[in-house]
Amino acid sequence: MSLSQIPKITYTSSGNFFLLAGPCAIEGEDMALRIAEKVIQITNNLQIPYVFKGSFKKANRSRLDSFTGIGDEKALKILRKVSDTFNVPTITDIHTEQDAAMAAEYVDVLQIPAFLVRQTDLVVAAAKTGKTVNLKKGQFMSPESMKHAVTKVHESGNEHAWITDRGTMFGYQDMVVDFRGIPTMKQYAPVVLDVTHSLQQPNQSSGVTGGRPALIGTMARAGIAAGVDGLFMETHFNPSNAKSDGANMLDLSLLEKLLSDLVAIRKTINSL
């Protein structure tokens, strides 16, 4: 599929990777607009095609008392406001077939979480909205098996699918990205590397996921060198106080330098 099919997306002829970035969860209007404004300023300067990311709810929490959202409609309306305010496309993840039609009224790309990517009814419901569908590779799945997830989207009458690699479980509490899978999955659809979730350390005894954010730069550079089409990053101006996944998010103050370095690497790769 062509990036230009995404409404409001810019710089599709720049030769850069595209970026899906924003907070893990929509915590409120002010924080969403604040993060979006900063990321858009950076991506405009670097001519990076950009899609604002924010989850309207978090359904896959380990503990019952974990933050799950501020209310579905309220969060979705904030995503729409981000899009209208900055003229930028948006993406959010869905967890049920009912979510698909509801979220499609507000955002441009629907994301299938990694744990749910084999749920046929969910994938088909997302595909039938006509929106681009971002399929996260299950932590338990091989790169080759993602062909079938993409096929479900295509056979539902939708040719607009991406694959996002977010690592594979290594033992019980760590993730590893096997970069050999990137060229394999690029045979099926454009491939995105989820830089921040691939550095998660799930299944901690506390019930709160850990992470290794110091390695975000390393992972992102490796992804660009391996030829990914896009990058996915969660970012926040105060990760330690974020209500979801703060342990593996990138501090917003570090984003500009990182993206500048990645654009330089991409330019070198394109010249080879």
Coordinates of all heavy atoms in Angstrom, one line a residue, residues 5 11 19 52 60 68 71 154 161 186 190 217 227 251:
Q5 N -2.2 7.1 0.8 CA -3.6 6.7 1.0 C -4.1 7.1 2.4 O -5.3 7.0 2.7 CB -3.8 5.2 0.8 CG -3.5 4.8 -0.6 CD -3.4 3.3 -0.8 OE1 -2.9 2.6 0.1 NE2 -3.8 2.8 -2.0
Y11 N 4.7 14.6 3.5 CA 6.1 14.2 3.3 C 6.3 12.8 2.8 O 7.3 12.1 3.1 CB 7.0 14.5 4.5 CG 6.9 15.8 5.1 CD1 6.4 16.1 6.3 CD2 7.3 17.0 4.3 CE1 6.2 17.3 6.9 CE2 7.1 18.3 4.8 CZ 6.6 18.4 6.1 OH 6.5 19.7 6.6
L19 N 6.5 7.6 10.9 CA 6.6 7.5 12.3 C 5.2 7.4 12.9 O 4.3 8.3 12.6 CB 7.3 8.7 12.9 CG 7.4 8.8 14.4 CD1 8.3 7.7 15.0 CD2 7.9 10.2 14.8
F52 N -0.1 10.4 14.6 CA -0.2 10.6 16.0 C -0.8 9.3 16.6 O -1.9 8.9 16.2 CB -1.0 11.8 16.4 CG -1.2 11.9 18.0 CD1 -0.2 12.5 18.7 CD2 -2.3 11.5 18.6 CE1 -0.3 12.6 20.1 CE2 -2.5 11.6 20.0 CZ -1.5 12.2 20.7
N60 N -5.6 -4.5 28.1 CA -4.7 -5.7 28.4 C -3.8 -5.3 29.5 O -2.6 -5.3 29.4 CB -3.9 -6.0 27.1 CG -3.2 -4.8 26.5 OD1 -3.5 -3.7 26.8 ND2 -2.1 -5.1 25.8
T68 N -7.0 2.2 32.8 CA -7.4 1.7 31.6 C -8.0 2.8 30.6 O -8.2 2.5 29.4 CB -8.6 0.7 31.8 OG1 -9.6 1.3 32.5 CG2 -8.1 -0.5 32.5
G71 N -12.4 7.1 29.6 CA -13.7 7.0 29.0 C -13.6 6.9 27.5 O -12.9 7.7 26.9
H154 N -6.7 -8.6 3.6 CA -6.9 -8.5 2.2 C -8.2 -9.2 1.7 O -8.9 -8.7 0.9 CB -5.7 -9.1 1.5 CG -4.4 -8.2 1.6 ND1 -3.2 -8.7 1.2 CD2 -4.2 -7.0 2.2 CE1 -2.3 -7.7 1.4 NE2 -2.9 -6.7 2.1
A161 N -2.8 -2.7 4.8 CA -2.3 -3.3 6.1 C -0.9 -3.0 6.3 O -0.1 -3.0 5.3 CB -2.6 -4.8 6.0
K186 N 8.3 -8.0 5.1 CA 8.2 -7.0 4.1 C 7.7 -7.6 2.8 O 7.2 -6.9 1.9 CB 9.5 -6.3 3.8 CG 9.9 -5.3 4.9 CD 11.1 -4.5 4.6 CE 10.9 -3.5 3.5 NZ 12.1 -2.6 3.4
P190 N 4.1 -3.4 4.3 CA 5.0 -2.6 4.9 C 5.3 -2.9 6.4 O 4.3 -3.3 7.1 CB 4.4 -1.2 4.8 CG 3.5 -1.3 3.6 CD 3.0 -2.7 3.7
G217 N 17.4 4.2 21.5 CA 18.2 4.7 20.4 C 18.9 3.6 19.7 O 18.9 3.5 18.4
G227 N 16.1 -1.9 7.5 CA 15.2 -1.6 6.4 C 13.8 -1.5 6.7 O 12.9 -1.6 5.8
D251 N 11.5 9.8 26.7 CA 11.2 11.2 27.2 C 11.1 12.1 26.0 O 12.0 12.1 25.1 CB 12.3 11.6 28.1 CG 12.0 12.9 28.8 OD1 11.8 13.9 28.2 OD2 12.1 12.9 30.1

